[in-house]
Amino acid sequence: MGRGKVQLKRIENRTSRQVTFSKRRAGLLKKAYELSVLCDAEVGLIILSPTGKTYQYSSHEVIFTISFLCSTSNSMERIITRYRNTVGMPHLNSDHARTLEYWRTEVDNLRKMVETLEARHKPTLIKDIV
């Protein structure tokens, strides 16, 4: 007996949505690993959660990190560089790309903005939980 077809629409219940995200994330990471092993493919996968966490997988140097985007592995950087070459995007160290310092400042600014928004909406979140 097979599973029923899932209707693709946003899950309204917060708890169910988080559980579904966690299960599907794990499945996607497993599939990325299987593809890299079975087909000897270079696989890079970045998942940004609704809560702001980053999950990543890169083949040949397995990384499963829960952190911010700033911390990527050498293997992931190599995969991203290869992708940029394929689609004709500038390299991170080229004159056309922004500097690493710019992006660090941008990440800090975004973190502060998220903290401000969370603090402003904290009473609303508490009401949703109750």
Side-chain angles (χ1 to χ4, degrees), residues 9-55:
K9 67 175 187 173
R10 184 176 188 270
I11 300 170
E12 295 301 324
N13 182 295
R14 178 181 284 168
T15 305
S16 297
R17 187 171 53 242
Q18 181 59 40
V19 169
T20 301
F21 174 81
S22 296
K23 288 181 179 181
R24 288 184 176 252
R25 181 196 68 229
L28 192 56
L29 290 167
K30 181 179 176 185
K31 291 292 183 184
Y33 170 75
E34 290 172 355
L35 182 64
S36 69
V37 171
L38 294 173
C39 303
D40 197 29
E42 264 188 288
V43 178
L45 175 65
I46 300 172
I47 303 171
L48 305 173
S49 78
T51 60
K53 293 180 183 173
T54 301
Y55 303 87

Side-chain angles (χ1 to χ4, degrees), residues 67-86:
S67 64
F68 288 94
L69 261 177
C70 294
S71 60
T72 57
S73 67
N74 289 335
S75 180
M76 183 65 81
E77 288 175 16
R78 190 178 75 244
I79 291 169
I80 292 171
T81 301
R82 185 173 168 195
Y83 170 76
R84 286 176 171 275
N85 288 338
T86 303

Side-chain angles (χ1 to χ4, degrees), residues 25 99 102 109-110:
R25 181 196 68 229
T99 63
Y102 169 84
N109 290 339
L110 290 172

Side-chain angles (χ1 to χ4, degrees), residues 92-106:
L92 292 175
N93 58 359
S94 74
D95 295 335
H96 302 292
R98 306 266 175 133
T99 63
L100 182 58
E101 191 59 37
Y102 169 84
W103 289 113
R104 285 187 177 146
T105 304
E106 189 69 17

